[in-house]
Amino acid sequence: MNLKDLFPHLTDDNHQITSPKTIEYNCIAWAAGNSQRWWQPGAFWPIESTRGDYGIGELVIAFKSLGYEECNDGLLEDGFEKVALYSLGMMYTHAARQLPDGQWTSKLGQLEDVTHTTPDAIAGSDYGEVAQYMKRALAT
């Protein structure tokens, strides 16, 4: 099965595969800038949590602990890096990180990393929609 079967908004023009499949890390870790381990509550998580706490609020709090604050959109903003947090209902499903050129990068479960032109390119299907954008100042 190819990525476009799993993510109906992906087209040949709006994404590019940037790494091979791996189970070393997941989308949350990738969005946080960590490709060394799998992040999930109850296993490795940046804040104290309980196994199975997959609410979107838990993900927002986790990214706040990394220096992010809530913001209104995913537009490129000079001096900041942004993440998009996705959910289906109240449960988080995915996180993507904005690149310096305004595109986005995602780790697609146990599949590849991809660069995609907009957060909506991977929305829908099992990932739901962007529930929250967050930003933090770039390190100087």
Side-chain angles (χ1 to χ4, degrees):
M1 181 171 287
N2 73 40
L3 291 178
K4 290 186 273 186
D5 293 333
L6 297 171
F7 301 96
H9 299 294
L10 286 182
T11 67
D12 290 338
D13 296 331
N14 71 4
H15 83 287
Q16 179 179 352
I17 295 172
T18 55
S19 75
K21 296 176 185 179
T22 181
I23 59 170
E24 295 296 316
Y25 56 94
N26 62 356
C27 64
I28 306 304
W30 184 246
N34 184 319
S35 61
Q36 303 303 310
R37 62 186 322 159
W38 194 276
W39 287 29
Q40 78 182 52
F44 179 81
W45 203 240
I47 57 173
E48 189 171 324
S49 66
T50 59
R51 183 176 302 281
D53 190 352
Y54 294 99
I56 188 65
E58 178 74 7
L59 188 58
V60 168
I61 293 168
F63 273 90
K64 282 183 177 181
S65 78
L66 301 173
Y68 286 87
E69 61 187 51
E70 296 173 53
C71 65
N72 294 327
D73 58 51
L75 298 175
L76 187 61
E77 191 173 338
D78 195 35
F80 289 91
E81 58 185 344
K82 292 188 177 183
V83 293
L85 310 181
Y86 297 71
S87 71
L88 274 173
M90 297 303 294
M91 305 303 285
Y92 78 78
T93 55
H94 182 69
R97 175 173 30 96
Q98 191 175 47
L99 297 169
D101 67 359
Q103 293 192 86
W104 293 81
T105 182
S106 289
K107 170 72 165 89
L108 302 176
Q110 296 181 7
L111 301 174
E112 299 92 347
D113 301 338
V114 298
T115 298
H116 45 99
T117 55
T118 69
D120 292 335
I122 58 161
S125 184
D126 291 342
Y127 281 179
E129 305 299 328
V130 175
Q132 183 65 61
Y133 289 101
M134 300 185 79
K135 67 181 183 179
R136 72 177 172 189
L138 289 169
T140 55

